[in-house]
């Protein structure tokens, strides 16, 4: 199993709660629709950066396939314009 964690800083002036809501509604429903995506959650951070994404994949290969999957790319169009920076970390269990 691969765990994929991404933390985000939003652009100045973006409503954090609204951006997180849109991201959650866009990405969390992809579980069960994209092969190998086992779990996905997005939550607003209470300190540090603005929000975090936590997800689990069956393998490195399926995480790589997720990154370019049409459903994922379409979902990103709803919230990616809010993002100033993102940092990802992946590890195997």
């Amino acid at each position: 199993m691969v765990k994929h964690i991404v933390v985000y800083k939003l652009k100045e002036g973006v409503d954090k709660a609204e951006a997180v809501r849109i991201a959650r509604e866009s990405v969390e429903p992809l579980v069960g629709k994209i092969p190998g995506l086992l779990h996905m959650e997005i939550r607003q951070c209470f300190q540090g950066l603005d929000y975090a994404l936590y997800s689990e994949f069956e393998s490195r290969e399926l995480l790589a396939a997720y990154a370019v999957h049409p459903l994922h790319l379409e979902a990103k169009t709803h919230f990616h314009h809010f993002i100033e920076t993102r940092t990802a970390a992946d590890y195997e269990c």
Side-chain angles (χ1 to χ4, degrees):
M1 178 190 307
V2 172
K3 295 189 179 187
H4 173 64
I5 301 168
V6 187
V7 290
Y8 299 88
K9 179 177 180 351
L10 297 170
K11 292 178 181 175
E12 188 72 31
V14 172
D15 182 303
K16 187 187 303 188
E18 181 69 4
V20 172
R21 182 191 65 75
I22 292 168
R24 286 179 76 176
E25 289 176 359
S26 300
V27 179
E28 288 181 354
L30 297 178
V31 175
K33 295 179 182 173
I34 296 181
L37 175 57
L38 304 173
H39 180 78
M40 174 79 68
E41 62 186 51
I42 293 177
R43 299 293 184 268
Q44 187 171 326
C45 298
F46 57 85
Q47 69 180 19
L49 296 173
D50 294 314
Y51 73 96
L53 174 149
Y54 169 81
S55 54
E56 297 174 351
F57 293 84
E58 290 179 7
S59 67
R60 288 183 184 192
E61 295 78 18
L62 290 169
L63 170 58
Y66 163 81
V68 296
H69 193 283
L71 289 175
H72 174 237
L73 296 176
E74 193 280 325
K76 286 173 45 173
T77 67
H78 298 281
F79 63 91
H80 233 247
H81 57 282
F82 297 140
I83 298 168
E84 175 86 18
T85 61
R86 68 181 286 284
T87 302
D90 305 314
Y91 59 93
E92 288 183 301
C93 298

